[in-house]
Amino acid sequence: MSTTLLAGPHKDLAAAGQLGRRRKRTDSLMFWLAMAATVVGLLFLLSILVTLFWRGLEAMSLTVFTDVTRPPGSGGGLLNAIVGSLIQTMIGAAIGTPIGLLVGTYLSEYSAGSKLGDAVRFVSDILLSAPSILIGLFIYQLLVLPFGGFSGFAGSMALAVIVIPIVVRTTEDMLTLIPTALREAAVALGAPKWKMIVLVCYPAVRSGLITGALLAVARIAGETAPLLFTSLGNLTWSIDMTKPMGSLPVTIYTYAGSPYADWIALGWTGALLITLGVLAINIIARVVLRQRS
Amino acid sequence: MSSSTASAVSDLAATRGSSASTGDRIFAGLCKGAGIFVLILLGAIIVELFIGGWPAFRTFGLSFVWGANWDPVAEEFGAIVPIYGTIITSILALLLAVPVAFGIAYFLTEISPMPLRRPVGTAVELLAAVPSIIYGMWGFFVIVPLMAQYIQPAVIDSAGELPLIGWLFAGPPFGTGIFTAALILAIMIIPFISATMRDVFQTVPPVFKESAYGLGCTRWEVMWNIVIPYTRKSVVGGIMLGLGRALGETLAVTFVIGNANRIATSLFGPGNTIASLVALEFGEAEAGSLKLSALLALGFILFVLSFIVLAVSRVLLRPRAGQ
């Protein structure tokens, strides 16, 4: 196409008109294809949400939040799964976030031009997209086999490993946005480097750091694969971190794959809860970030 | 650039009194230690998976990779079927996802009116936030019946009789299978690819595009002749990132692929992937058994596959020099 454009002034008006029409046709064809692609993408999201509400509200009741999981045909709720998910997600985030924060700080503040820094950044980015099932297998080998069985603790550790690279990414991105003048001002007042980072840089990008942590929580709250090999799931009430622990995603997996209608219905309710939770955290994270800018 | 100025500023700070420099040493040590911890973490994942898979690698040698048997009773394990399933579903998913993701990125950067850009962009990003188990359930209860009742019978009846390519569409319409898994994977990776594409499209200096518009180019000509050539490497990087995601996706695939350990030639035939096989069979594998070792060995192979793809993606997505 570019060669025809550069072919010099056209004497042949008919040919020029034809070329112009063809270019306009291509343009509008691509316009409509791009519109269609966007509509298709949005339709998928809409279809998922509609299905979740339609099927999920069927079994929604107060019992879901007040009763534990019971055998098929005898009612029950999802209380142990919800509580198990909350505990493991919170502990995973509480362990992973500080480590990720330190790594992100290292990359932004201490590693300029160093080979080690480049390696850490590369490895962290690999971990960010690494299949989560492998992190589950890794923790199984590291913490489940040697320490005598599945546990809520191992589940939390697997989730913490997933949190680290997410927090690293946002921390580094946020810290590099800080204007040099702000750092210079802190140093000119006599602050040592660590005080400059902790008391000036962190507060300056607080909303960004919170966003990173929230996105990490949203990500691990819905993770199923790593928990299958670590906390295993537990259909009775248990908040003992050394025993297998239930979680919403694993319970959904068990219920949705079962042949019992009431379990499947409850599985949809759990799916609705987890999706609403995850999407709400995502939206809150975006609002927090936007308020800053 | 800014980080090097930052470190110059802080080197100045580091030359102050000794109490301050003790605090600095501790904090710098903590940060560096955390960085090294991340390196060790990745190393430990590789080593633990390899150690766990070693009995299987030792027993079957290279034939573990090429073997087609997966027989827990006879304790014979070969990985070629799940490897084939993993690669074929991921590549099919890319073929389906890339045009749609490109269309969305084109819409978001060039076509959409300004007020629509943020809400549509956010909606697409929310699609990426939906947990994979939800995609699995939605796929199993919504897409599979659709495929079984309408799409597959229609395609099998029309295209299944064609010479040369008919075998691609042969077989009964179960609804599940390779194609359905690829479709679900495609929907899951579309937001990742389109978000990367949108971000790299926005790095094209406006003056380039303005010059092209000034010469009378249409929107599409600007996209095809200016934006794409300028961002080609990063676009491929974004696609590889999507491929990396698709390779390791577990639960969404487990629900819809049909879970049969054979190489399906038909797109509608059942199959499995490394991740779905590990997730399904893990519960029946006892600690210390050869089967568990074979599953961990599969995990190691998946790790190598995704590491290569993600590493290539990272190299391609590196920011241009001078930016």
Side-chain angles (χ1 to χ4, degrees), chain A residues 1 23 27 30-31 35 38 47 103 110 134 141-142 176 187 193-194 224 229 252-253 278 282 286 290, chain B residues 2 10 16 23-24 27 34 48 52 107 111 118 125 129 134 137-138 141 216 220-221 251 282 299 314:
Chain A
M1 179 144 293
R23 289 174 53 206
D27 187 58
M30 289 305 165
F31 173 87
M35 293 283 270
T38 311
S47 166
V103 179
Y110 290 100
L134 297 182
Q141 278 281 93
L142 193 73
T176 35
V187 172
K193 183 171 181 178
W194 71 272
T224 319
F229 313 125
I252 296 169
Y253 178 57
V278 166
N282 261 278
R286 271 158 234 276
R290 206 166 297 159
Chain B
S2 69
S10 34
R16 291 243 174 67
D24 267 345
F27 191 71
E48 283 285 358
F107 177 84
I111 294 176
R118 185 169 265 175
E125 282 165 24
I134 306 299
M137 279 183 88
W138 176 73
F141 290 100
W220 172 248
E221 284 162 0
L251 284 143
F282 182 81
R314 276 301 137 198

Side-chain angles (χ1 to χ4, degrees), chain B residues 103-118:
Chain B
I104 294 176
Y106 180 38
F107 177 84
L108 286 176
T109 52
E110 304 290 329
I111 294 176
S112 169
M114 275 299 169
L116 269 184
R117 282 186 191 185
R118 185 169 265 175

Side-chain angles (χ1 to χ4, degrees), chain B residues 134-258:
Chain B
I134 306 299
Y135 278 100
M137 279 183 88
W138 176 73
F140 187 71
F141 290 100
V142 176
I143 298 295
V144 167
L146 262 177
M147 294 293 270
Q149 279 168 23
Y150 303 103
I151 299 169
Q152 290 185 354
V155 175
I156 291 168
D157 284 348
S158 54
E161 306 295 321
L162 291 176
L164 293 177
I165 58 161
W167 54 272
L168 273 175
F169 310 102
F174 289 124
T176 54
I178 300 270
F179 180 77
T180 312
L183 180 67
I184 302 288
L185 280 177
I187 299 170
M188 297 182 70
I189 61 177
I190 282 171
F192 287 104
I193 302 179
S194 69
T196 320
M197 282 184 179
R198 180 190 60 184
D199 292 348
V200 299
F201 288 171
Q202 280 168 346
T203 64
V204 178
V207 67
F208 285 16
K209 295 200 282 187
E210 284 156 12
S211 317
Y213 281 125
L215 287 171
C217 282
T218 62
R219 261 186 307 217
W220 172 248
E221 284 162 0
V222 171
M223 175 50 84
W224 195 246
N225 298 317
I226 309 293
V227 176
I228 294 277
Y230 188 85
T231 56
R232 196 186 298 129
K233 248 173 69 173
S234 310
V235 165
V236 176
I239 293 172
M240 296 293 273
L241 190 65
L243 180 62
R245 291 266 171 182
L247 286 174
E249 191 41 61
T250 310
L251 284 143
V253 174
T254 311
F255 270 98
V256 299
I257 198 167

Side-chain angles (χ1 to χ4, degrees), chain A residues 1-2 5 23-24 26-27 30-35 37-38 40-45 47-48 51-52 55 99 101-103 105-110 112 116 119-120 122-135 137-138 140-142 145 150 161 164 168-169 176-178 180 183-184 186-198 202 218-219 221-225 228-229 232 249-250 252-253 256-257 264 267-268 270-272 274-275 278-279 282-283 286 290 293, chain B residues 2-7 9-14 16 19-24 27-28 30-32 34-39 41-42 44-45 48-49 51-53 99-101 103-104 106-108 111 118 120 122-127 129-135 137-138 140-143 183 187 190 215-221 225 241 244-245 247-251 254-255 274-276 278-280 282 285-288 292 295-296 298-300 302-303 306-307 310-311 314-315:
Chain A
M1 179 144 293
S2 50
L5 283 177
R23 289 174 53 206
K24 273 197 183 135
T26 314
D27 187 58
M30 289 305 165
F31 173 87
W32 289 111
L33 283 179
M35 293 283 270
T38 311
V40 164
L42 295 180
L43 275 182
F44 286 136
L45 182 64
S47 166
I48 291 172
T51 314
L52 279 171
R55 304 284 304 259
I99 299 177
L101 187 69
L102 286 176
V103 179
T105 309
Y106 170 70
L107 290 180
S108 156
E109 308 294 319
Y110 290 100
L116 180 67
V120 171
F122 180 77
V123 163
S124 174
D125 280 342
I126 297 272
L127 278 179
L128 185 64
S129 308
S132 58
I133 188 172
L134 297 182
I135 292 169
L137 284 179
F138 162 65
Y140 174 80
Q141 278 281 93
L142 193 73
L145 272 186
F150 301 99
V161 173
I164 294 172
V168 171
R169 185 76 278 134
T176 35
L177 287 179
I178 292 180
T180 313
R183 299 167 191 275
E184 284 170 345
V187 172
L189 287 172
K193 183 171 181 178
W194 71 272
K195 275 194 178 167
M196 174 195 86
I197 296 169
V198 176
Y202 285 168
R219 165 86 191 276
E223 280 291 348
T224 319
L228 284 176
F229 313 125
L232 188 67
V250 173
I252 296 169
Y253 178 57
I264 293 177
W268 278 108
L272 175 64
I274 200 108
T275 310
V278 166
L279 294 188
N282 261 278
I283 291 170
R286 271 158 234 276
R290 206 166 297 159
S293 51
Chain B
S2 69
S3 63
S4 65
T5 346
S7 69
V9 168
S10 34
D11 287 343
L12 213 96
R16 291 243 174 67
S19 69
S21 75
T22 312
D24 267 345
F27 191 71
L30 270 178
C31 290
K32 194 171 181 180
I36 293 170
F37 174 74
V38 169
L39 292 183
L41 197 60
L42 187 85
I45 294 177
E48 283 285 358
L49 288 178
I51 291 176
V100 179
I104 294 176
Y106 180 38
F107 177 84
L108 286 176
I111 294 176
R118 185 169 265 175
V120 173
T122 307
V124 173
E125 282 165 24
L126 287 184
L127 198 58
V130 173
S132 72
I133 176 114
I134 306 299
Y135 278 100
M137 279 183 88
W138 176 73
F140 187 71
F141 290 100
V142 176
I143 298 295
L183 180 67
I187 299 170
I190 282 171
L215 287 171
C217 282
T218 62
R219 261 186 307 217
W220 172 248
E221 284 162 0
N225 298 317
L241 190 65
R245 291 266 171 182
L247 286 174
E249 191 41 61
T250 310
L251 284 143
T254 311
F255 270 98
I274 295 177
S276 75
V278 173
L280 274 180
F282 182 81
E286 282 168 43
L292 181 66
L295 292 176
L296 287 162
L298 275 179
F300 179 75
L302 176 60
F303 191 90
S306 22
F307 185 90
L310 293 173
R314 276 301 137 198
V315 171

